[in-house]
Amino acid sequence: MRLSRYFLPVLKENPSEAQIVSHRLMLRAGMIKQASAGIYSWLPLGFKVLRKIENIVHEEQQRAGHIPMLMPTLQSADLWRESGRYDDYGEEMLRIKDRHGRDMLYGPTNEELITDIFRSHVGSYKDLPLTLYHIQWKFRDEIRPRFGVMRGREFFMKDGYNFDLTKEDALHAYNRHLVSYLRTYERMGLQAIPMRADGGPIGGDYTHEFLVLAETGESEVFYDSAVTDLTFGDREIDYDSVDQCAAVLEEFTSKYARTDETHDEVLFAEVPKDRQRTARGIEVGQIFYFGTKYSEAMGAKVQGPDGKTVPVHMGSHGIGVSRLLGAIIEASHDDRGIIWPEGVTPFHAGIVNLKQGDEEADAACDALYASLKALGLEPLYDDRNERAGGKFATMDLLGLPWRITVGPRGLKNGVVELTSRRTGESEEMPPEAAVQKIAQIYAGIA
Ligand code: P5A
């Protein structure tokens, strides 16, 4: 993309309404625009990152054997009356009447809708195990929407639902989700720690939240610092293996890590003093096992191998896809702007032309642009007639991991400059070498 032809409404000033750095940077980098409280338009740059995050989530869900589908945002109140949640959900649910006076709602989550689909089409244990998921907009009329996309009213969520014959099978589905979530967050450059939590309006008493540690996080968390040494890395897991998935759960959840809702002072005191930590975290996902809560209320049953009909065991599993943009920026920025991890960056590299209009510099930039594109990479070429300082400031704000700087002086010696946004280190090299280096870096990203 050539910056002169893009739509990137960068703000020079710090927007006064933004209280935390991710919100401020998303507004300044022209990624989002508030439409009304807690509701945002995704401008091209923000939309690009949202899609990248969504794609990683899709890939990892499907790697785990989960099946994508799409359910609507508007739901009928009748299903929620069956589960009893129409009244229980409270003020966070946006209730709507259609022209015939029928009660509708903008879905805050989809347990009822998916259970209805299941009961309509599945009647035998032979069709299990089954995990269906979608990535769809949700609405929760949060009393205090704030921090931009972190606590929105309309937000993008991946929600998945497992259906199993037995509790044991459903717990395997739970463990499988935990493993797939660890992989998902690490691909985005994040460490998200599973912590014992509370079921809230979804239900069940077996649930973990995934937290990214950050001062601006809304949750208070308590943990053994040893949990921060754990990484999933590039290990290969057989998602059908009950033992392998259970071993990962054991490894990642046996040390003390809880949110304030389930915090237990007595258990916490057993953690060695020098490893006890109290901090704040951003909840980027949550997994639940709630057994037969919805299947019993809504009659979602299957015939087992013994011929008896039993309600299925279920769980649901959510990732805050739009919230993740904020979480990634909170975890990865400096005072000049965003620093995107390679896995989610909106463009792979920036090209800065120090002397727009100079024949040689323009030709070198065009050639770099074409070479990167030919390798399947997306460069952002700042081809505007601006001073070098302004171009650098924009690139730093946008946070692309790599920048190639092209100027007449370097070109005389046959070199351009390749700069890492994260370390600030620069290296001079021939343009082809810069292209090759960038291609190699991205070839190593899953
Ligand atoms: C699990 C999937 C559920 O709703 N039902 C379907 C279960 N869980 S949850 O924890 O309530 O939400 C899942 C994730 O969605 C994100 N999230 C939000 N993101 C932005 N703004 C909000 N207001 C908001 N509320 C929830 C969180 O990341 C949460 O973990």
Side-chain angles (χ1 to χ4, degrees):
M1 179 58 66
R2 287 169 192 272
L3 200 43
S4 63
R5 297 190 196 159
Y6 201 37
F7 180 67
L8 186 73
V10 164
L11 304 182
K12 290 243 158 31
E13 303 298 324
N14 267 331
S16 58
E17 72 266 32
Q19 294 162 301
I20 62 170
V21 69
S22 57
H23 188 193
R24 195 157 59 233
L25 289 174
M26 285 183 80
L27 291 170
R28 284 202 47 213
M31 297 177 69
I32 52 170
K33 180 176 187 322
Q34 182 172 307
S36 60
I39 304 178
Y40 290 87
S41 297
W42 293 79
L43 306 182
L45 191 75
F47 180 58
K48 225 163 179 319
V49 182
L50 187 69
R51 279 283 175 263
K52 287 231 167 165
I53 292 175
E54 183 187 6
N55 283 341
I56 292 178
V57 173
H58 269 302
E59 282 176 22
E60 292 305 328
Q61 285 305 299
Q62 288 169 52
R63 194 194 300 279
H66 306 157
I67 305 170
M69 60 178 295
L70 187 60
M71 290 176 269
T73 52
L74 292 185
Q75 305 181 22
S76 155
D78 293 341
L79 286 175
W80 288 68
R81 292 201 174 96
E82 283 189 50
S83 73
R85 280 208 296 181
Y86 189 62
D87 295 323
D88 289 356
Y89 214 94
E91 302 251 49
E92 269 187 24
M93 182 189 280
L94 182 65
R95 295 164 166 85
I96 306 162
K97 265 196 203 305
D98 71 9
R99 68 197 297 164
H100 305 292
R102 280 188 290 251
D103 291 322
M104 310 282 292
L105 56 98
Y106 192 133
T109 175
N110 283 56
E111 280 78 8
E112 284 77 0
L113 206 53
I114 196 86
T115 305
D116 179 53
I117 291 170
F118 180 88
R119 71 179 172 186
S120 306
H121 297 290
V122 182
S124 163
Y125 77 96
K126 290 182 189 145
D127 295 324
L128 305 183
L130 178 66
T131 295
L132 299 168
Y133 79 92
H134 73 163
I135 303 182
Q136 177 62 294
W137 294 95
K138 305 286 184 290
F139 196 93
R140 293 183 185 172
D141 205 354
E142 301 276 353
I143 189 159
R144 255 199 333 149
R146 57 181 188 156
F147 299 163
V149 300
M150 289 280 212
R151 178 162 299 277
R153 292 200 297 164
E154 189 184 49
F155 61 98
F156 208 32
M157 189 206 284
K158 170 261 155 183
D159 40 324
Y161 305 85
N162 69 284
F163 300 91
D164 288 278
L165 182 62
T166 64
K167 175 173 181 182
E168 211 177 32
D169 292 348
L171 290 178
H172 171 57
Y174 186 93
N175 299 349
R176 202 174 59 228
H177 278 89
L178 180 126
V179 177
S180 71
Y181 279 27
L182 291 172
R183 273 192 71 112
T184 303
Y185 297 124
E186 280 191 17
R187 277 187 65 181
M188 299 173 191
L190 284 178
Q191 179 175 45
I193 303 168
M195 300 199 181
R196 272 307 284 266
D198 183 72
I202 307 296
D205 53 13
Y206 188 47
T207 173
H208 284 89
E209 284 180 4
F210 289 76
L211 285 120
V212 172
L213 297 175
E215 275 166 33
T216 49
E218 292 192 277
S219 314
E220 191 177 20
V221 297
F222 302 83
Y223 61 96
D224 176 341
S225 65
V227 295
T228 58
D229 298 333
L230 299 170
T231 50
F232 187 77
D234 54 8
R235 49 181 121 170
E236 281 303 321
I237 288 280
D238 175 0
Y239 280 107
D240 289 331
S241 163
V242 170
D243 291 345
Q244 283 185 28
C245 291
V248 174
L249 175 108
E250 174 65 21
E251 180 184 343
F252 279 83
T253 63
S254 55
K255 303 228 162 48
Y256 192 93
R258 294 187 174 207
T259 63
D260 54 356
E261 301 147 346
T262 56
H263 178 54
D264 181 327
E265 282 294 346
V266 178
L267 288 176
F268 192 50
E270 289 171 13
V271 175
K273 266 251 160 339
D274 60 328
R275 298 203 325 235
Q276 290 177 10
R277 299 281 187 284
T278 304
R280 302 200 70 80
I282 303 166
E283 180 205 327
V284 290
Q286 188 164 2
I287 53 177
F288 300 81
Y289 164 71
F290 42 67
T292 56
K293 171 175 169 174
Y294 298 91
S295 56
E296 272 192 70
M298 297 180 64
K301 298 186 193 125
V302 292
Q303 197 170 46
D306 56 4
K308 282 197 193 125
T309 299
V310 288
V312 283
H313 285 258
M314 291 173 60
S316 70
H317 315 275
I319 292 181
V321 175
S322 49
R323 175 179 286 183
L324 272 166
L325 275 95
I328 292 169
I329 296 173
E330 290 295 324
S332 188
H333 68 269
D334 62 15
D335 51 11
R336 286 175 292 143
I338 303 168
I339 306 173
W340 290 115
E342 269 95 355
V344 298
T345 185
F347 293 96
H348 296 103
I351 302 173
V352 169
N353 188 343
L354 292 179
K355 198 157 186 205
Q356 205 69 45
D358 175 275
E359 215 170 290
E360 246 189 285
D362 290 1
C365 288
D366 286 342
L368 275 171
Y369 186 78
S371 308
L372 287 165
K373 284 189 74 152
L375 291 169
L377 296 167
E378 279 189 286
L380 180 66
Y381 171 20
D382 192 343
D383 60 345
R384 297 168 306 161
N385 245 326
E386 282 241 352
R387 283 181 308 108
K391 289 190 176 186
F392 288 144
T394 303
M395 279 294 171
D396 284 347
L397 171 65
L398 302 186
L400 310 183
W402 299 96
R403 186 187 79 208
I404 308 176
T405 309
V406 180
R409 211 178 318 151
L411 287 176
K412 281 214 170 62
N413 301 321
V415 295
V416 295
E417 191 183 57
L418 181 63
T419 308
S420 156
R421 174 69 180 86
R422 189 168 293 280
T423 66
E425 280 165 24
S426 291
E427 228 187 308
E428 289 195 333
M429 59 183 81
E432 317 80 65
V435 170
Q436 284 313 317
K437 185 158 179 189
I438 291 172
Q440 254 167 27
I441 289 161
Y442 285 102
I445 305 292

